[in-house]
Amino acid sequence: QSPLPESGGHSVQEGGSVKLTCDAPRFRHIEGCIGWSRQFPGKEREGIAALCTGTGKTYYDNSVKGRFTISQDTQNTVFLQMTSLKTDDTGIYSCAAAPGLTFSTNGFRFPAGSYWGQENQVTVSS
């Protein structure tokens, strides 16, 4: 599956904050990991934050660690709070869920067959 069409864009000044919401009913039956990917122009989507319900652990890519926070409410809505945004954070953000993820020193990606929510364009200007 692929991310759903863009739900709307967010434009913010450098140093600002944006909170993304992913309300994807399809995720609610999935046990495993949920998270967010980011895609830069001409590049593949790469995982930036994930929360795995089985282990209770969260994972953040080094590029966002300390600035982004992933969370989930009791209705399984997934959030990504982004703070101290940089122009380099400009990209398309998508939420996803998968039964499992493989994390390495090079990061992670949601595998084929993952369930995707809507895309969100985030533009950070200087």
Side-chain angles (χ1 to χ4, degrees):
Q1 297 187 17
S2 299
L4 300 176
E6 188 173 330
S7 64
H10 302 268
S11 294
V12 63
Q13 293 279 83
E14 193 168 29
S17 300
V18 170
K19 186 173 185 177
L20 300 180
T21 300
C22 179
D23 182 15
R26 296 178 297 162
F27 290 6
R28 290 170 186 163
H29 72 284
I30 299 172
E31 295 186 3
C33 301
I34 56 172
W36 293 87
S37 285
R38 177 170 62 190
Q39 185 174 25
F40 298 128
K43 303 289 186 180
E44 294 187 16
R45 287 189 295 271
E46 296 188 358
I48 56 171
L51 189 160
C52 294
T53 54
T55 62
K57 292 185 178 180
T58 56
Y59 171 89
Y60 295 98
D61 186 77
N62 285 334
S63 65
V64 305
K65 194 175 294 183
R67 300 187 299 121
F68 291 11
T69 303
I70 185 173
S71 62
Q72 183 181 24
D73 67 9
T74 55
Q75 279 74 48
N76 285 350
T77 301
V78 183
F79 305 96
L80 184 68
Q81 178 68 59
M82 305 187 291
T83 63
S84 301
L85 283 162
K86 308 174 183 178
T87 54
D88 290 346
D89 292 318
T90 295
I92 297 175
Y93 291 74
S94 306
C95 61
L101 293 172
T102 300
F103 301 101
S104 72
T105 55
N106 294 322
F108 76 98
R109 290 179 180 171
F110 282 89
S114 295
Y115 296 85
W116 291 91
Q118 289 181 311
E119 296 182 331
N120 299 268
Q121 173 68 49
V122 176
T123 303
V124 184
S125 57
S126 59

